[in-house]
């Protein structure tokens, strides 16, 4: 009788453990992973976010450099025109 009671207690305990294991969310990215795997997943996520931020910063920097280059080109063109006009004025005065 005692063996049967112990065996039924063990079976009930195993049934409860199996039931609790089935309740675990399988969609969780860290489900069933150890501490190192969880940390690695977090590092991967952080690296992806940092990469996206760097891409955005690079795009903004590229746009700013292009705008600065266009403004510099316009300023050089205006300076060249002024220099040319000054040279023409100097030739006509001679």
């Amino acid at each position: 009788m005692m063996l049967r009671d112990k065996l039924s207690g063990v079976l009930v305990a195993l049934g409860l453990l199996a039931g609790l294991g089935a309740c675990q969310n399988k969609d969780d990215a860290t489900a069933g992973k150890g501490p190192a795997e969880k940390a690695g997943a977090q590092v991967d996520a952080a690296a992806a976010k940092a990469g996206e931020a760097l891409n955005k910063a690079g795009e903004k920097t590229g746009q700013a450099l292009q705008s600065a280059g266009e403004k510099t080109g316009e300023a050089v063109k205006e300076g060249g025109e002024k220099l040319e006009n000054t040279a023409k004025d100097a030739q006509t005065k001679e």
Side-chain angles (χ1 to χ4, degrees), residues 76-86:
V76 168
K77 183 179 177 183
E78 289 176 8
E81 289 172 354
K82 287 181 182 178
L83 182 61
E84 187 177 329
N85 290 336
T86 303

Side-chain angles (χ1 to χ4, degrees), residues 57-73:
E59 288 175 9
K60 288 182 180 180
T61 301
Q63 291 171 353
L65 287 173
Q66 183 176 357
S67 176
E70 290 171 359
K71 289 178 183 178
T72 301

Side-chain angles (χ1 to χ4, degrees), residues 11-85:
L11 289 175
V12 168
L14 288 175
L16 288 173
L17 287 175
L20 288 175
C23 292
Q24 184 177 11
N25 185 1
K26 302 293 182 195
D27 292 335
D28 187 7
T30 59
K33 293 184 179 181
E37 288 177 302
K38 289 177 184 178
Q42 290 174 347
V43 168
D44 290 344
K49 286 182 183 178
E52 290 173 9
L54 285 174
N55 284 340
K56 287 180 183 178
E59 288 175 9
K60 288 182 180 180
T61 301
Q63 291 171 353
L65 287 173
Q66 183 176 357
S67 176
E70 290 171 359
K71 289 178 183 178
T72 301
E74 291 172 9
V76 168
K77 183 179 177 183
E78 289 176 8
E81 289 172 354
K82 287 181 182 178
L83 182 61
E84 187 177 329
N85 290 336

